Structures are given as C-alpha cells and as structure tokens.
Amino acid sequence: MARKRPKPEEIVSKLRQVEILMGQGMSRLDAIRQIGVVEQTYYRWRKKYGGMGADQLKELKRLQKENERLRKAVSDLTLDKLILTEAAKGNY
C-alpha cells in the first residue's frame, strides 16, 4: 500500500514535535525516528518549513496559488499573442 504524503500542516507539527522531544533530552536521531520519518526527510522538511507558524504556512499556500494563477494567465496571453501574430502575417 502506498503511503500518503503528509500535508504541510502535519509536517510543521512533526517538526515541532521533534523540537519538543529534543528539549526533553532525547537525541535528534531518536526524535526523528519517533515521528516516523527518515533523517533525510526531516532535514528536507526543516529546510522548507523550518520555523514556520500556521499563519505563515497559510500565506505560503495563498502565494503558491496566486503564482500558479498568474503563470496560467501569462501562458494564455502568450498563446493569444502568437495566434494573433500568425493571423496578422497571413493578411499581408
């Protein structure tokens, strides 16, 4: 059975859990194992989501959606421009 990818909120929660366990005296590797991920995944998550709070995570999602919408708009406009340019060449 394939594993599901954790949502960003879950990732931030797990990162915070590791911090708490380390604060209680557990080694970093043991804390990482306790949340059920490998060390490489932990460091990748920490690089991407480290230090983020819930509001920052929501803002990141909002910005990603806005970026995707703008990219789509630019690609649509570029396609329209190419079509109009080709049509204008045919008229001469």
Side-chain angles (χ1 to χ4, degrees):
M1 184 170 148
R3 289 186 174 186
K4 68 174 186 117
R5 289 183 185 257
K7 295 181 179 179
E9 295 87 5
E10 295 169 345
I11 292 172
V12 170
S13 172
K14 286 186 177 195
L15 289 174
R16 205 164 270 136
Q17 188 177 358
V18 168
E19 302 262 339
I20 291 169
L21 291 172
M22 286 174 41
Q24 294 173 348
M26 188 179 283
S27 73
R28 183 182 307 261
L29 288 176
D30 290 337
I32 292 170
R33 287 186 192 119
Q34 182 144 355
I35 64 168
V37 297
V38 295
E39 193 175 358
Q40 181 180 5
T41 301
Y42 168 76
Y43 287 114
R44 187 177 55 234
W45 285 355
R46 198 175 85 175
K47 182 178 179 184
K48 186 171 183 180
Y49 298 106
M52 277 193 185
D55 358 333
Q56 291 172 326
L57 193 55
K58 287 178 186 176
E59 180 68 11
L60 175 65
K61 279 184 179 178
R62 188 189 67 75
L63 290 172
Q64 285 174 339
K65 281 184 179 181
E66 178 72 9
N67 193 21
E68 184 178 330
R69 186 185 67 77
L70 291 172
R71 284 177 193 258
K72 189 173 182 179
V74 167
S75 67
D76 289 347
L77 290 172
T78 303
L79 182 59
D80 289 347
K81 180 183 174 189
L82 289 174
I83 291 170
L84 290 173
T85 304
E86 287 296 318
K89 285 182 184 177
N91 289 339
Y92 292 112

